[in-house]
Amino acid sequence: MRSQRTRWVLRCWAAVVLIFLYAPLLLVVVNAFNASRTFAFPPTGFTLRWWADAANSAGMWQALANSVVVGLAATAIALLLGTMAAFAVQRYRFFGRQAVSFLVVLPITLPGIVTGIALNATFTSALGITLGMATVIIGHATFCIVIVFNNTQARLRRLGTHLEDASADLGASSWQTFRYVTLPMMRGALVAGAILAFALSFDEIVVTTFTAGPAVQTLPIWIFANLFRPNQAPVINVVAAALTVLAILPVWLSQRFGGDPANTRL
């Protein structure tokens, strides 16, 4: 009897948490089809007009293209540097190893505004670099590296070195061992890390605000800039609703490819 009551309480509590998390998102999706410009609730009618307006928005498409370019470039940098750092920390023993691991993870624990101010001062004051697309990519890569690093290090820790040692004992070179043994077992973690890094970069707004020049506008910056314009508000809801639905894909893919290597297929 007590066990059944506990399960019922836990299910109710889980339902309350899910409603708390997803009710605002559901409201955004509903308003994307709301005929009222003021988002009267309940909706005054159903319309697809705002979706047509969003599809014809040149500013939105340009901002989307910028976000995709920045996300892909930052993810590529994060994959290279994050994977190298994870292998160095997990597979080798050297002085300052724990300090390196701490310093790699630190950027994502800092408030975004602190990272943004530090990067802005470095680019503009210390290096004299004009803010633009390149500085946004570098800024995003600083915290995307952490995602790849954590995923890769966790997978390396789970795999151990037994198979790599066996490959070396059988006469394989370091490159052959990496190509035929380590990489196939690491692919799921690398894909999951890349997907999560891209998603994190795509949604970033705080660091972007401090590292983007006036000519560069990513999708989150575009949304924030148009959020309080009455004529653009319905379009913003459409874009937000579309992103809410599309956000399901990277989360599902990261879980699909980030699981046990024995059950992961590309």
Side-chain angles (χ1 to χ4, degrees), residues 60-150:
M60 186 275 293
W61 287 113
Q62 182 59 53
L64 176 62
N66 289 340
S67 289
V68 171
V69 170
V70 170
L72 291 176
T75 299
I77 296 173
L79 270 177
L80 178 63
L81 299 182
T83 302
M84 293 172 64
F87 269 91
V89 170
Q90 192 61 36
R91 286 290 188 259
Y92 300 95
R93 299 294 181 267
F94 53 89
F95 176 75
R97 173 172 164 267
Q98 295 300 327
V100 170
S101 180
F102 171 77
L103 291 174
V104 171
V105 176
L106 184 62
I108 204 170
T109 64
L110 294 173
I113 192 169
V114 174
T115 302
I117 292 173
L119 289 170
N120 181 278
T122 301
F123 291 140
T124 58
S125 301
L127 300 178
I129 298 175
T130 302
L131 299 181
M133 188 75 77
T135 55
V136 176
I137 292 172
I138 295 172
H140 285 203
T142 58
F143 54 80
C144 288
I145 289 174
V146 183
I147 304 299
V148 177
F149 175 82
N150 285 338

Side-chain angles (χ1 to χ4, degrees), residues 31-37 45-57 230-231 234-235 238:
N31 278 331
F33 300 95
N34 191 349
S36 173
R37 280 186 177 274
F46 177 86
T47 182
L48 294 176
R49 173 188 172 187
W50 314 130
W51 290 82
D53 291 347
N56 295 323
S57 175
N231 291 333
V235 176
V238 169

Side-chain angles (χ1 to χ4, degrees), residues 142-187:
T142 58
F143 54 80
C144 288
I145 289 174
V146 183
I147 304 299
V148 177
F149 175 82
N150 285 338
N151 269 38
T152 306
Q153 188 181 35
R155 178 60 58 83
L156 288 172
R157 188 181 295 116
R158 289 174 60 188
L159 293 177
T161 60
H162 302 296
L163 294 177
E164 294 172 344
D165 293 340
S167 176
D169 290 340
L170 293 173
S173 64
S174 298
W175 168 246
Q176 288 175 321
T177 298
F178 176 78
R179 180 181 178 184
Y180 296 111
V181 179
T182 308
L183 185 59
M185 296 188 297
M186 291 296 303
R187 283 182 303 183

